[in-house]
Amino acid sequence: MLGAFLSGLTVTCAAALFTAGCVILARRSTRYPSTAPQRVPALGGFEPETHAWSRFHVRYYPMALLFIAFEMEMMFMYPWAVVFVEEGVTALVEMGMFLAILAVGVVYGWREGAFRWQ
Amino acid sequence: MPVFAAAGVGGWGQTQELRGVPELRLVTTPRHASVLLVTGTVPEAHLVAVQRVHDQVPHPRAVVTWRAAGTAKRMPGATYVTGDAAAVVTAVQRAWSALEADPWSTAVDQLPDVEPNEWRGIGPFGQGGEGMMGGTPYGRPMAMTGDDPDGLALDELRLTLGPFLDALPAGLVLDVVLQGEVLREATLRLDALGGTAADATLPSEPSSAMARSGLRWLAHALHVEGLDALAARAAALASRVTGATDRAALSRHADALMRRVRRTGVLRNLHDVGVVPGSGDAAHRWRERMDAIVCALRDNQMPDALEPTRLDTARDLLADALPGSTLTAAISTIVSLDVGGARFGAGTLR
């Protein structure tokens, strides 16, 4: 049991050491550290008043939701088709429940206007 | 050699022709450059802006000024060039070689290395503020929220683009309020100079000067739309216009170039972009200007379509067109109108 953790810990430590080594090497090999003007976006001469942590509207959100709804459905339908042969009606009912839940997502997407092409 | 060109008043047109010089690679931001090329007159109001652009070129860097005037003459350690494009290439090559030989010979920073606000060590995590909005996290305050057309309160990012932004005509400053990728407000201004006398003198061959100006515009517009190979062709053609003896051959070359541009599909991309009353969309303006360039070369005419749009006119036209569009569409719209361009190609602000 401990052995499994040990190997994970070893890999984590090795990765951390490698990353730290790269950072130290990069800092030492840089002749010119960046200055305040270099740390701002290149806007053509001016600097931003605020920084760029801003919340904006994820307009593709309803479309992404719809995509996930349909993709999950298709992903599970292929293995389900194999199981259906053995399980019969039970599998059919389970898939019906699954599709009903996904349909709620599609209905929500519909309400949010995901089907309107703009 | 990666060069960032900061074009001042009267230097924009000649800078566009450098796109046709194979030895130079005009890059879109100072971060990608090794050499800063300052052309034309940089007014006092833009001194800090050009200094910031200078400092944003990573070390080791060199500075070359071309037919410079105003504050551009005060760039420390710069090589001054007054000749033609070949002289610029030579100067840039020399500066590049000097940097390769001695990287410590870099041009020194012009602005102090000072953060806009003290923030280190302030707040529970040392990020400069308290909570989500307090203080100045990492040196700058958080953006305030504004109403969104969808009924949301979203952060408004206020930016000032220009006057040395590669995608905008020289000296033009664009104040924008962005919510995500959508422009909520946009204001064009020229805060450096008012009217200049560049257009008062009529050149000896006005139709040639106008065609050259149009080709310079086309080179820049193609570059902004990501068609750099065609931009280089347009720039090379522009540099051959003045004093050309075989105008018929030039117009044939221009015609072939316009066919290539049409085949790229760029006009389809510009369809319905920047629709303004009486001027159609950006694709329509491109078509008109491209036809006018060929016409000016072939028939020695001075078509109205090649007239640049004055800033006050552009402000009126764009008052309704820019808000609600994306930043990319706004830039394409401004470029298609040739806002602040000069009639005879000096690239002078009006």
Side-chain angles (χ1 to χ4, degrees), chain A residues 51 53, chain B residues 117-142:
Chain A
H51 59 67
W53 283 351
Chain B
N117 290 291
E118 280 297 324
W119 60 270
R120 290 176 204 278
I122 301 172
F125 304 103
Q127 85 277 25
E130 298 277 347
M132 282 286 288
M133 303 288 288
T136 53
Y138 299 97
R140 286 186 167 78
M142 294 286 285

Side-chain angles (χ1 to χ4, degrees), chain A residues 30-59 118, chain B residues 31 49 52 55-56 59 61 103-104 106 109 113-115 137-138 140-142 145 148 150 155 157 160-165 180:
Chain A
T30 305
R31 288 178 174 180
Y32 307 101
S34 67
T35 59
Q38 287 174 346
R39 286 194 289 272
V40 296
L43 301 177
F46 287 92
E47 55 179 0
E49 295 169 21
T50 58
H51 59 67
W53 283 351
S54 53
R55 291 160 292 178
F56 57 90
H57 193 170
V58 185
R59 288 172 199 283
Q118 293 174 341
Chain B
R31 292 189 201 290
R52 186 166 290 113
D55 286 5
Q56 285 178 336
H59 291 288
R61 64 167 90 96
W104 290 103
T106 180
D109 292 335
D113 181 13
V114 180
E115 297 279 359
Y138 299 97
R140 286 186 167 78
M142 294 286 285
T145 55
D148 176 75
D150 297 327
D155 290 350
L157 195 60
T160 303
L161 306 173
F164 303 111
L165 193 72

Side-chain angles (χ1 to χ4, degrees), chain A residues 49-97:
Chain A
E49 295 169 21
T50 58
H51 59 67
W53 283 351
S54 53
R55 291 160 292 178
F56 57 90
H57 193 170
V58 185
R59 288 172 199 283
Y60 57 84
Y61 167 70
M63 183 60 83
L65 195 78
L66 206 67
F67 170 74
I68 289 171
F70 280 115
E71 195 224 24
M72 293 297 284
E73 180 186 311
M74 290 311 296
M75 206 170 76
F76 281 113
M77 272 203 165
Y78 287 110
W80 171 81
V82 178
V83 177
F84 175 69
V85 178
E86 297 170 6
E87 298 290 331
V89 179
T90 313
L92 187 68
V93 170
E94 284 178 351
M95 179 48 81
M97 288 164 64

Side-chain angles (χ1 to χ4, degrees), chain B residues 77-204:
Chain B
T79 306
Y80 297 97
V81 180
T82 53
D84 57 3
V88 175
V89 172
T90 307
V92 170
Q93 279 173 334
R94 278 191 188 144
W96 175 267
S97 304
L99 285 182
E100 278 193 327
D102 179 16
W104 290 103
S105 65
T106 180
V108 294
D109 292 335
Q110 295 190 26
L111 293 178
D113 181 13
V114 180
E115 297 279 359
N117 290 291
E118 280 297 324
W119 60 270
R120 290 176 204 278
I122 301 172
F125 304 103
Q127 85 277 25
E130 298 277 347
M132 282 286 288
M133 303 288 288
T136 53
Y138 299 97
R140 286 186 167 78
M142 294 286 285
M144 290 292 110
T145 55
D147 289 337
D148 176 75
D150 297 327
L152 303 170
L154 299 174
D155 290 350
E156 290 182 332
L157 195 60
R158 291 173 185 274
L159 297 175
T160 303
L161 306 173
F164 303 111
L165 193 72
D166 170 72
L168 287 177
L172 202 67
V173 177
L174 181 64
D175 293 305
V176 295
V177 177
L178 279 167
Q179 281 183 325
E181 82 284 20
V182 179
L183 254 74
R184 289 285 155 245
E185 294 170 29
T187 314
L188 282 170
R189 63 185 162 94
L190 291 169
D191 57 1
L193 284 179
T196 63
D199 285 353
T201 51
L202 196 69
S204 56

